[in-house]
Amino acid sequence: MATIDRVLQRIDDGLEDSLSRLFDLLRIRSISTDPAFAGDCRNAAEWLAGELSGIGIPSEVRNTTGHPMVVGHAANGQAGPHALFYGHYDVQPVDPLDLWDADPFDPRIVTRDDGSRMIVARGACDDKGQLMTFVEAARAWMAENGALPLPISVLIEGEEESGSPSLEAFLTDNREELSVDFALICDTGMWDRNTPAITTMLRGMVSEEIVITAADKDLHSGLFGGAARNPNRVLARIIADLHDADGRIMVPGFYDGVAEMPADITAMWSELGFDEKAFLGGVGLSEPAGEAGRSVLEQIWTRPTCDVNGMSGGYTGEGFKTVIPSQASAKISFRLVGEQDPVAIRDSFRDFVSARVPADCAVAFTGFGCNPAVQLPMDSDTLRKGRAALTDEWGRPAAIIGIGGSIPIAGDFKTMLGMDSLMIGFGLDDDQIHSPNEKYDLQSFHKGIRSWARVLDQLAR
Amino acid sequence: MATIDRVLQRIDDGLEDSLSRLFDLLRIRSISTDPAFAGDCRNAAEWLAGELSGIGIPSEVRNTTGHPMVVGHAANGQAGPHALFYGHYDVQPVDPLDLWDADPFDPRIVTRDDGSRMIVARGACDDKGQLMTFVEAARAWMAENGALPLPISVLIEGEEESGSPSLEAFLTDNREELSVDFALICDTGMWDRNTPAITTMLRGMVSEEIVITAADKDLHSGLFGGAARNPNRVLARIIADLHDADGRIMVPGFYDGVAEMPADITAMWSELGFDEKAFLGGVGLSEPAGEAGRSVLEQIWTRPTCDVNGMSGGYTGEGFKTVIPSQASAKISFRLVGEQDPVAIRDSFRDFVSARVPADCAVAFTGFGCNPAVQLPMDSDTLRKGRAALTDEWGRPAAIIGIGGSIPIAGDFKTMLGMDSLMIGFGLDDDQIHSPNEKYDLQSFHKGIRSWARVLDQLAR
């Protein structure tokens, strides 16, 4: 019997124990954003360091200015590439509590009408359930084989749900220790319940607030209307100028670094059976509104965007007030893809706006973020091996997918530590992460553990 | 000695008594918007009905669904045109009370360093001081001559500062009684402290709120950005389309009924010495931003406008939220001049907007007003006589001016009773109406009384 088959058998036999350990972790109220739960966060870190050390990945709790990190290494001179596994032990707050069917920190199995079984608790999926698929896979490898098939380091964060305020400094301070060949991240989803996926594209983002100021006070439109500059109108004109009639973004140089996807990838996407009408219909829309001639998946995974997330000026309460406001403001964000340079785009955007600010108006900019897109090379060996492992486990090809949003850690690993990330996860669209009654499919947990065992096996070849 | 000279002499001799009566009225706390002062409003109405009846204009307090009206008639078969005098006895609230130097309802005379004397109290100018200039002029005429020189009716309202909710029904119910040859309104200002003015132009207004709805909920721009319609962008495009590069309004038919001013009027304005730089500089601006090639006075008195008074969509709080909002809204108003048809403009605007709402978006309109401009014909006999009277009193030609805002009663008299209004008032720009330490220049009060005496004399010729 091949080693991997024995490891998989051990995983199957030990599933109840794996579940029991996950439940122990789920009972810890590690809500990172609320200082009242700081002790719980530390407890979660210590529990994880203990588990990892216990299975043969010596780990310790490292203090930060916020919640601690867990760092471990099992890199005892094996051959093969060295991988850093990342997950996070902190969870979202649970309010509104009255929408939960039971205590969010008292995990339980709920069996659905179709016989499928769900782990229900805060963090069941995001990210305790997900990170434990890796830990349990490593445990089975260690137990069966006395060692992992390749050098592994582990970094478990405790502030992912509250903006990771300590992460950048921690990566900087421990750059040498944490810079290995690539990262493994378990915080993403499957294509559907039976189709595994590897997330290879994350859009980056430039976020800017602009404030246009005209007069130094709000004016009465009866007295000044017709003579005074109206910043609402100035702002609307700038926003309107940002796109042409075909939906292309008019900021100079914006599309530098945006490449077309390889034909085999877009062909694969068209075979995934993505239901555009259902996706848009679910929120009351019927037509993709983005760049003409692109599928919805292309629009949200592979194309950069410009959206106005907020816009405000003048009187916006009940009724009517004939004011010419002094100021108008907008929060504008750009989702980036491929090799787009966020700093160049921010600068070009600011120039674009400034050039449209007329006499007697001033504009002020506040940056809220400037992060590049993350893209795992399509010809990467790591990607090929990960895909093979998942395809073996699930009996169908793993989808190569994107996420329209960002996973900041993948960008940080790339820009700060020079590492690509292999993002594999087993979350499903209906897992209700961040919401009441968060769940994780027991199949995701079980086959997720098996998947990681196969991924480790593949990566070591 | 001519009758008018005896009337003027009587006014001069009785100034202290006139002031004392004004102070009695100013002591009444007739704040119309606050139900706690309803009894005070009735007291003010009764006080005025008593005064008017006492001087020979039999008057009564008429109930409405709100605060009562005062209506009187002294039309005992005299020759001459029949005029309806309008004023209002209600006042604005007094908060913030701590910014007043003394009790707002304890009127007093404050002497400035230059020797000028000011009546300080809530309502000193708006409108108790102003309306009493007419009442005291009528008193002097009656006392000196036993009758007014022409038939006079009086309508004093008690809800002008709270939107006149009872006015329309009252005018409808008493249309025959109140429809006379023209109205006299004392609720406007002078050009400057020594230059009288007649306000002949009031801009009308169409006020509309538009709400653009796209998706049926707010969306995450990571998940939907690039595919979902953003109503902020839709709204900005519509607002940008409302003007061309020269500041002209693009709503079809908008300029129908907009005429150029006669050359002698614009010539007079250029001689008024209006300081555009000071006017704009006072609010932090330096350049007129309206239609090219127009003076500021033309822009604010004679030209129609389109302003965005409020604009809102998405996340507008602190920080950043990458939302694609479900809705965006704007409050948009048009100031109208001349013969512009407000209903036609509202309809054309709604068509203009609807034609720009793309697939998957809906637009809803809420109207907040639809009032035509008021313009006293430049060749009107009433205007000529009023101007002659003011010129006699003040020793310099009365300016013919506009107000960029509206005085709703003048529009109501025109549209509901078919009467033009001669708008003469003695307010000054620094009277602080609606604000703490409201004042009325004693010179305005004294020469205002004398002015009305002369206007009545002229109108009877």
Side-chain angles (χ1 to χ4, degrees):
Chain A
M1 201 179 195
T3 307
I4 181 63
D5 293 326
R6 285 186 283 106
V7 170
L8 295 173
Q9 184 66 52
R10 177 175 286 270
I11 288 169
D12 294 346
D13 294 343
L15 182 61
E16 285 305 312
D17 289 341
S18 296
L19 202 53
S20 169
R21 285 185 288 268
L22 172 60
F23 276 30
D24 286 344
L25 179 58
L26 289 171
R27 287 189 191 98
I28 304 175
R29 299 165 184 261
S30 47
I31 300 169
S32 59
T33 199
D34 185 342
F37 296 92
D40 300 272
C41 289
R42 179 165 294 274
N43 288 345
E46 286 172 353
W47 186 92
L48 276 163
E51 286 296 311
L52 289 166
S53 298
I55 64 178
I57 306 176
S59 299
E60 57 186 20
V61 173
R62 302 267 189 95
N63 288 332
T64 70
T65 50
H67 302 302
M69 304 278 181
V70 178
V71 178
H73 301 286
N76 313 309
Q78 297 108 309
H82 188 156
L84 173 73
F85 176 79
Y86 167 89
H88 63 90
Y89 65 74
D90 63 319
V91 298
Q92 283 274 319
V94 296
D95 49 283
L97 191 57
D98 58 355
L99 294 186
W100 287 81
D101 295 333
D103 179 351
F105 294 107
D106 183 12
R108 61 211 174 95
I109 298 290
V110 172
T111 304
R112 292 190 170 177
D113 291 344
D114 64 2
S116 63
R117 299 167 71 201
M118 306 293 152
I119 305 161
V120 180
R122 170 56 83 228
C125 172
D126 183 18
D127 186 46
K128 289 174 174 175
Q130 300 248 55
L131 82 85
M132 286 300 284
T133 59
F134 182 87
V135 173
E136 293 299 321
R139 180 192 308 276
W141 261 105
M142 284 287 197
E144 195 60 43
N145 213 38
L148 293 168
L150 72 169
I152 291 288
S153 295
V154 173
L155 171 66
I156 315 276
E157 185 191 358
E159 297 178 325
E160 200 272 349
E161 302 292 3
S162 51
S164 299
S166 310
L167 184 70
E168 191 173 324
F170 191 83
L171 294 184
T172 302
D173 292 346
N174 301 280
R175 192 189 308 264
E176 200 173 339
E177 177 183 359
L178 299 172
S179 297
V180 295
D181 294 311
F182 54 82
L184 304 172
I185 299 179
C186 191
D187 201 15
T188 53
M190 316 227 321
W191 173 252
D192 60 31
R193 186 165 187 264
N194 297 307
T195 310
I198 300 178
T199 301
T200 65
M201 292 161 284
L202 302 174
R203 290 195 289 193
M205 188 150 70
V206 170
S207 313
E208 291 273 300
E209 182 170 64
I210 65 175
V211 179
I212 309 280
T213 303
D216 60 16
K217 56 178 71 72
D218 287 357
L219 307 176
H220 189 296
S221 80
L223 189 52
F224 284 92
R229 187 68 68 183
N230 185 322
N232 278 336
R233 284 178 46 200
V234 172
L235 182 61
R237 160 59 55 199
I238 291 169
I239 292 172
D241 284 354
L242 282 168
H243 291 81
D244 72 6
D246 294 326
R248 278 182 69 88
I249 293 151
M250 302 304 286
V251 174
F254 182 77
Y255 288 94
D256 293 353
V258 179
E260 293 295 327
M261 282 292 109
D264 60 326
I265 297 290
T266 50
M268 184 200 74
W269 291 343
S270 64
E271 283 162 23
L272 282 175
F274 179 70
D275 187 341
E276 297 195 348
K277 288 223 168 303
F279 176 76
L280 293 172
V283 296
L285 299 174
S286 67
E287 287 188 9
E291 286 175 282
R294 305 274 180 186
S295 73
V296 167
L297 287 187
E298 280 182 279
Q299 287 176 345
I300 63 178
W301 287 350
T302 75
R303 300 300 300 176
T305 70
C306 168
D307 262 308
V308 182
N309 307 112
M311 188 168 79
S312 176
Y315 180 71
T316 59
E318 287 295 304
F320 214 93
K321 201 167 160 181
T322 53
V323 67
I324 298 176
S326 167
Q327 292 193 323
S329 65
K331 297 177 200 282
I332 297 176
S333 60
F334 299 88
R335 298 272 176 186
L336 309 186
V337 302
E339 303 294 320
Q340 281 180 296
D341 177 346
V343 173
I345 285 171
R346 183 197 61 195
D347 293 348
S348 182
F349 168 69
R350 291 183 176 186
D351 290 346
F352 180 93
V353 171
S354 297
R356 284 164 176 76
V357 173
D360 277 349
C361 286
V363 60
F365 298 93
T366 305
F368 283 91
C370 212
N371 302 300
V374 169
Q375 184 154 352
L376 187 61
M378 290 298 170
D379 57 359
S380 142
D381 201 43
T382 308
L383 175 58
R384 185 183 56 74
K385 290 175 175 174
R387 203 174 180 195
L390 291 176
T391 304
D392 282 350
E393 172 60 27
W394 296 83
R396 57 178 71 185
I400 303 301
I401 66 174
I403 290 185
S406 58
I407 296 182
I409 186 69
D412 293 337
F413 284 160
K414 181 71 178 179
T415 55
M416 298 183 65
L417 306 186
M419 295 192 295
D420 282 326
S421 295
L422 184 66
M423 290 176 275
I424 294 175
F426 309 96
L428 299 178
D429 287 346
D430 66 350
D431 278 349
Q432 312 238 88
I433 62 169
H434 298 202
S435 296
N437 299 317
E438 178 179 352
K439 61 90 176 164
Y440 198 43
D441 196 313
L442 185 58
Q443 173 179 281
S444 287
F445 185 62
H446 182 191
K447 290 174 76 68
I449 300 171
R450 291 172 54 98
S451 295
W452 279 120
R454 291 184 190 272
V455 170
L456 294 177
D457 182 51
Q458 279 284 344
L459 291 174
R461 293 189 185 183
Chain B
M1 201 178 197
T3 309
I4 182 61
D5 293 325
R6 284 186 282 110
V7 171
L8 294 173
Q9 185 63 52
R10 179 175 283 270
I11 288 167
D12 294 347
D13 294 344
L15 182 61
E16 285 306 311
D17 290 340
S18 296
L19 202 53
S20 168
R21 285 184 289 266
L22 171 59
F23 276 30
D24 287 344
L25 180 57
L26 290 172
R27 288 188 190 99
I28 304 175
R29 300 167 183 259
S30 48
I31 300 169
S32 60
T33 199
D34 185 342
F37 296 92
D40 301 272
C41 288
R42 179 165 294 273
N43 288 346
E46 286 172 352
W47 186 92
L48 276 162
E51 285 296 310
L52 288 165
S53 298
I55 64 178
I57 305 176
S59 298
E60 57 187 21
V61 174
R62 302 269 190 94
N63 288 331
T64 71
T65 51
H67 302 302
M69 304 279 182
V70 179
V71 178
H73 301 287
N76 312 310
Q78 298 107 311
H82 188 158
L84 173 72
F85 176 80
Y86 167 90
H88 64 90
Y89 64 76
D90 64 318
V91 298
Q92 281 275 321
V94 295
D95 48 282
L97 190 57
D98 58 355
L99 294 185
W100 287 80
D101 295 334
D103 180 350
F105 294 106
D106 183 11
R108 61 210 175 96
I109 297 289
V110 172
T111 303
R112 292 191 170 177
D113 290 345
D114 63 3
S116 63
R117 299 168 70 201
M118 306 295 153
I119 305 160
V120 180
R122 170 56 84 228
C125 173
D126 183 18
D127 185 48
K128 289 173 175 174
Q130 299 247 55
L131 81 85
M132 286 302 283
T133 58
F134 182 86
V135 173
E136 294 299 322
R139 181 191 309 275
W141 261 104
M142 284 288 197
E144 195 60 41
N145 213 38
L148 293 168
L150 72 169
I152 292 287
S153 295
V154 173
L155 171 66
I156 315 276
E157 186 193 357
E159 298 180 323
E160 200 272 349
E161 301 293 2
S162 51
S164 300
S166 311
L167 185 71
E168 189 173 325
F170 191 82
L171 294 184
T172 301
D173 293 347
N174 300 279
R175 190 189 310 264
E176 200 172 339
E177 177 183 359
L178 298 173
S179 297
V180 296
D181 294 312
F182 54 82
L184 305 173
I185 299 179
C186 191
D187 201 14
T188 52
M190 314 230 319
W191 172 253
D192 60 31
R193 188 167 185 261
N194 296 308
T195 310
I198 301 179
T199 301
T200 66
M201 292 161 284
L202 303 174
R203 289 195 289 193
M205 189 149 71
V206 169
S207 312
E208 291 271 301
E209 182 171 64
I210 66 175
V211 179
I212 309 280
T213 304
D216 59 16
K217 55 179 72 72
D218 288 357
L219 307 176
H220 189 298
S221 81
L223 188 53
F224 285 92
R229 186 68 67 183
N230 186 322
N232 278 337
R233 285 178 46 201
V234 173
L235 182 62
R237 161 60 55 198
I238 291 169
I239 291 171
D241 283 354
L242 281 168
H243 291 81
D244 72 6
D246 294 326
R248 278 182 69 88
I249 293 152
M250 302 304 286
V251 174
F254 184 76
Y255 289 94
D256 292 353
V258 179
E260 293 295 327
M261 282 293 109
D264 60 326
I265 296 292
T266 50
M268 184 198 75
W269 290 343
S270 64
E271 283 161 24
L272 282 175
F274 179 70
D275 187 341
E276 297 195 347
K277 288 223 170 300
F279 176 76
L280 293 172
V283 295
L285 299 175
S286 67
E287 288 189 8
E291 287 175 282
R294 306 272 180 187
S295 75
V296 167
L297 287 187
E298 280 182 279
Q299 288 177 343
I300 63 178
W301 287 349
T302 76
R303 300 300 298 176
T305 70
C306 168
D307 262 309
V308 182
N309 307 111
M311 189 167 78
S312 176
Y315 181 70
T316 59
E318 288 296 304
F320 214 94
K321 199 167 161 182
T322 53
V323 68
I324 298 176
S326 167
Q327 292 193 324
S329 65
K331 297 179 201 282
I332 296 177
S333 60
F334 299 88
R335 298 272 176 186
L336 308 185
V337 303
E339 302 294 320
Q340 281 181 296
D341 177 347
V343 174
I345 284 171
R346 182 196 62 195
D347 293 348
S348 182
F349 167 70
R350 291 184 176 187
D351 290 345
F352 180 93
V353 172
S354 298
R356 285 163 176 77
V357 173
D360 276 348
C361 286
V363 60
F365 298 93
T366 305
F368 283 91
C370 210
N371 301 301
V374 170
Q375 184 152 353
L376 188 61
M378 291 299 172
D379 58 359
S380 143
D381 200 43
T382 308
L383 175 58
R384 186 183 55 75
K385 290 176 175 174
R387 203 174 179 196
L390 291 175
T391 305
D392 283 349
E393 173 60 27
W394 295 84
R396 58 178 71 182
I400 304 301
I401 66 172
I403 290 185
S406 59
I407 297 184
I409 187 70
D412 292 336
F413 284 160
K414 182 71 178 180
T415 56
M416 298 183 65
L417 306 186
M419 294 192 296
D420 282 327
S421 295
L422 184 65
M423 289 176 278
I424 294 175
F426 309 96
L428 300 177
D429 287 346
D430 66 350
D431 278 349
Q432 312 239 87
I433 63 168
H434 299 202
S435 297
N437 300 317
E438 178 177 351
K439 62 88 176 163
Y440 199 42
D441 196 313
L442 186 58
Q443 173 179 282
S444 286
F445 185 61
H446 182 189
K447 290 175 75 70
I449 300 169
R450 290 174 54 98
S451 296
W452 279 119
R454 290 185 190 271
V455 170
L456 294 177
D457 182 51
Q458 278 285 344
L459 290 174
R461 292 190 186 181

